[in-house]
Amino acid sequence: MDKEQLIINHFNNKFLGDDAAVLGKMVYAKDLFFEDVHFKREWLSLEQIGYKAMIVNFSDIIVMNATPKYALLGLALPKSITNEQITGLYGGIKKACDKYGVSIIGGDTICSDKICISVSVFGVLNAKAVFRKGLKNGDFIAYTGKLGSSLKSLKSLINIGKTSHKSRFFDPILRDRFFYKSAKFINSAMDISDGLTQDLAKLCASAKKGFKFIKKPIKYELESGEEYEILFSFSPKNRAKIEQIAKKTRTKITIFAKATKGRYKTNARSHHF
Amino acid sequence: MDKEQLIINHFNNKFLGDDAAVLGKMVYAKDLFFEDVHFKREWLSLEQIGYKAMIVNFSDIIVMNATPKYALLGLALPKSITNEQITGLYGGIKKACDKYGVSIIGGDTICSDKICISVSVFGVLNAKAVFRKGLKNGDFIAYTGKLGSSLKSLKSLINIGKTSHKSRFFDPILRDRFFYKSAKFINSAMDISDGLTQDLAKLCASAKKGFKFIKKPIKYELESGEEYEILFSFSPKNRAKIEQIAKKTRTKITIFAKATKGRYKTNARSHHF
């Protein structure tokens, strides 16, 4: 058995299987952001590392239709880190927290050989939570923004050691304005962190649905992860409302598939193990 | 400036400075448990690692006078980990969660070169929270249980690679029964994770108080960390009540100091950086 699946099977309970866990009006998410797993030191400044570690967690809260409020921060930092670097890291974390109105309420700091950041974020539901399992037969499946640039940046970083500093890889744009306004017309959602192919498979698996492409995305769009755009679905009768909100919030959306009965199984392997 | 202090100064806000953060009736704590920082693989089985990673977090919630309820779990595990080891790790985590009635509601799993466990625990206050800063001038300062065995085990592990499997180093005993019953008579508390010398200094610093020894603990008692016994203080007028509850719950307590006006400063360095 796939090791990640074994772990998921062991811990399986009613709270799991979504971007975040819902308990009453509160929503809880946790993501790890580790050197040499999620980033290399030569790719990102300490400020960019701090910023992205927070943003990827806020993303999980937002796609549940909740507003991130509080965070616990676990920092494992090398002994060699300088005071200037600590201040840079803090600057990135603060920038993200200020932008989204989040307070750091606790955490733990240890010395480690690599930078390992562990963030837990708690948010408050704006209204009804949006779950992955809400995907309905006949739903349009869409994503926000553009996909592909993050993978291009990653390839460029691996091959030539640099990429544009404006890349989404450094600075994902979260679609909170669009999502909060349109949430009541949305049946299911998740953020695209592992790439459309893998995340679409997860969405379908959660709801025990299949899909057919209306317009098949190109390879870069299918495989690019870490843009933190939103994958979401809605009933065809709400299409006009969704498109109107997208226009109003200047959010590009691409309707690319339709949910069907049956199951969808991908052969794409998780990168985690 | 000490790096850990720089980090604390940057992130300082009203929520920080205690074992856990209190928000309304909820209490939030986070601790990291990393290979080669907190443990070596050859010292603990995967089950012991999982158990201890959870227990040290429950301890932070208990000393606030709250009951741990939910946890988020971040697991970074080596690719080489076997399914049997995953099941062992899960067994230890489950044993701790079952013992304290905690549900894992979410988390993140990644592949890393070392075992890094990050746990966030949320609890519900039983009654009024007990803070470190509650230490009052004239308070008796005491600790639960016995101190010293964890340091002995650690030295034995470092020197001869083994120690008794009954050691507190593997299986800290939490004093929830004693603490919950006596909390209303207690002015301040924290768990002893870094050793009495360091943790007493933190307690005094939080309350801007000093102390004088009534009965100075021996070196092993002062320096041994990770037993997760409770350091606490109370008004002399509550001594009889505290001693009665200790007797009833079969909890050894040692009154060893008295809080005084003024400041206490230790030269003991944090092991974190």
Side-chain angles (χ1 to χ4, degrees), chain A residues 3 22 31 34 101 132 140 164 175 177 181 188 192 209 211 234 240 248-249 270 272:
Chain A
K3 288 175 195 174
V22 177
D31 261 336
F34 274 37
R132 294 179 185 180
F140 281 131
S164 160
R175 305 296 181 177
R177 280 186 64 230
K181 278 183 201 296
S188 69
I192 305 172
K209 293 284 176 296
F211 73 87
F234 52 92
K248 219 175 184 173
T249 57
S270 158
H272 295 145

Side-chain angles (χ1 to χ4, degrees), chain A residues 1-4 6-8 10-11 13 15-16 20-21 23 26 28-34 37-38 70 72-84 86-87 89-90 93-94 103-114 116 118-122 271-273, chain B residues 1-4 6-8 10-11 13 15-16 20-21 23 26 28-34 37-38 70 72-84 86-87 89-90 93-94 103-114 116 118-122 271-273:
Chain A
M1 186 188 283
D2 172 63
K3 288 175 195 174
E4 195 170 17
L6 177 65
I7 295 167
I8 292 166
H10 273 316
F11 289 102
N13 67 32
F15 298 110
L16 301 180
L23 278 177
M26 293 291 287
Y28 300 86
K30 183 193 197 80
D31 261 336
L32 304 176
F33 196 60
F34 274 37
V37 179
H38 300 97
Y70 301 104
L72 294 172
L73 184 62
L75 292 176
L77 301 174
K79 216 181 266 283
S80 61
I81 199 165
T82 64
N83 284 3
E84 199 184 343
I86 289 173
T87 300
L89 182 70
Y90 164 71
I93 292 168
K94 188 176 185 314
S103 302
I104 307 244
I105 57 168
D108 191 14
T109 306
I110 62 167
C111 186
S112 174
D113 52 350
K114 290 181 182 179
C116 307
S118 160
V119 182
S120 295
V121 181
F122 326 134
H271 68 287
H272 295 145
F273 278 99
Chain B
M1 186 187 286
D2 172 65
K3 287 175 195 173
E4 196 170 17
L6 178 66
I7 295 167
I8 291 167
H10 273 318
F11 288 104
N13 67 32
F15 299 110
L16 301 179
L23 279 178
M26 295 290 288
Y28 300 85
K30 182 192 198 80
D31 261 336
L32 304 176
F33 196 60
F34 274 36
V37 179
H38 301 95
Y70 302 103
L72 295 171
L73 185 60
L75 292 176
L77 301 172
K79 216 181 265 286
S80 61
I81 198 165
T82 65
N83 284 3
E84 198 185 343
I86 290 173
T87 300
L89 182 70
Y90 165 71
I93 292 169
K94 189 176 183 317
S103 302
I104 306 245
I105 58 167
D108 191 13
T109 306
I110 62 166
C111 186
S112 174
D113 50 351
K114 291 182 182 178
C116 307
S118 159
V119 182
S120 295
V121 180
F122 325 133
H271 69 286
H272 294 144
F273 278 97

Side-chain angles (χ1 to χ4, degrees), chain B residues 27-73:
Chain B
V27 174
Y28 300 85
K30 182 192 198 80
D31 261 336
L32 304 176
F33 196 60
F34 274 36
E35 182 178 346
D36 295 340
V37 179
H38 301 95
F39 64 90
K40 291 200 178 291
R41 280 289 285 282
E42 53 275 31
W43 293 352
L44 284 88
S45 70
L46 272 287
E47 192 180 334
Q48 287 171 326
I49 291 167
Y51 184 78
K52 193 167 173 183
M54 301 311 293
I55 288 292
V56 302
N57 274 280
F58 299 165
S59 174
D60 284 327
I61 299 289
I62 289 168
V63 294
M64 302 302 296
N65 191 25
T67 303
K69 295 278 187 191
Y70 302 103
L72 295 171
L73 185 60

Side-chain angles (χ1 to χ4, degrees), chain A residues 238-251:
Chain A
N238 290 323
R239 180 176 184 158
K241 284 178 195 119
I242 297 276
E243 286 177 338
Q244 199 184 356
I245 296 164
K247 201 175 164 188
K248 219 175 184 173
T249 57
R250 292 179 191 179
T251 309

Side-chain angles (χ1 to χ4, degrees), chain B residues 86-183:
Chain B
I86 290 173
T87 300
L89 182 70
Y90 165 71
I93 292 169
K94 189 176 183 317
K95 186 178 153 195
C97 286
D98 286 352
K99 190 168 176 182
Y100 288 92
V102 172
S103 302
I104 306 245
I105 58 167
D108 191 13
T109 306
I110 62 166
C111 186
S112 174
D113 50 351
K114 291 182 182 178
I115 296 177
C116 307
I117 305 181
S118 159
V119 182
S120 295
V121 180
F122 325 133
V124 179
L125 281 173
N126 301 324
K128 209 161 49 83
V130 176
F131 294 99
R132 294 179 186 180
K133 66 183 178 198
L135 177 67
K136 286 188 175 51
N137 189 20
D139 269 8
F140 280 130
I141 305 175
Y143 62 82
T144 59
K146 280 185 186 177
L147 298 177
S149 75
S150 206
L151 181 59
K152 279 180 195 158
S153 293
L154 187 61
K155 288 197 173 173
S156 174
L157 284 165
I158 290 168
N159 292 333
I160 60 166
K162 62 181 182 184
T163 190
S164 160
H165 274 284
K166 287 183 182 162
S167 165
R168 294 289 164 80
F169 184 78
F170 302 115
D171 190 4
I173 295 174
L174 305 186
R175 306 295 181 178
D176 45 316
R177 280 185 63 232
F178 163 72
F179 193 72
Y180 292 161
K181 278 183 202 294
S182 56

Side-chain angles (χ1 to χ4, degrees), chain A residues 36-105:
Chain A
D36 294 341
V37 179
H38 300 97
F39 63 90
K40 291 199 178 292
R41 281 286 287 279
E42 52 275 32
W43 293 353
L44 282 87
S45 69
L46 272 286
E47 190 180 335
Q48 286 171 326
I49 291 167
Y51 184 79
K52 193 167 173 184
M54 301 311 294
I55 288 292
V56 303
N57 274 281
F58 299 164
S59 174
D60 284 327
I61 299 289
I62 289 168
V63 292
M64 302 302 294
N65 191 25
T67 303
K69 295 278 186 191
Y70 301 104
L72 294 172
L73 184 62
L75 292 176
L77 301 174
K79 216 181 266 283
S80 61
I81 199 165
T82 64
N83 284 3
E84 199 184 343
Q85 286 175 318
I86 289 173
T87 300
L89 182 70
Y90 164 71
I93 292 168
K94 188 176 185 314
K95 186 179 152 194
C97 285
D98 286 351
K99 191 168 174 181
Y100 287 92
V102 172
S103 302
I104 307 244
I105 57 168

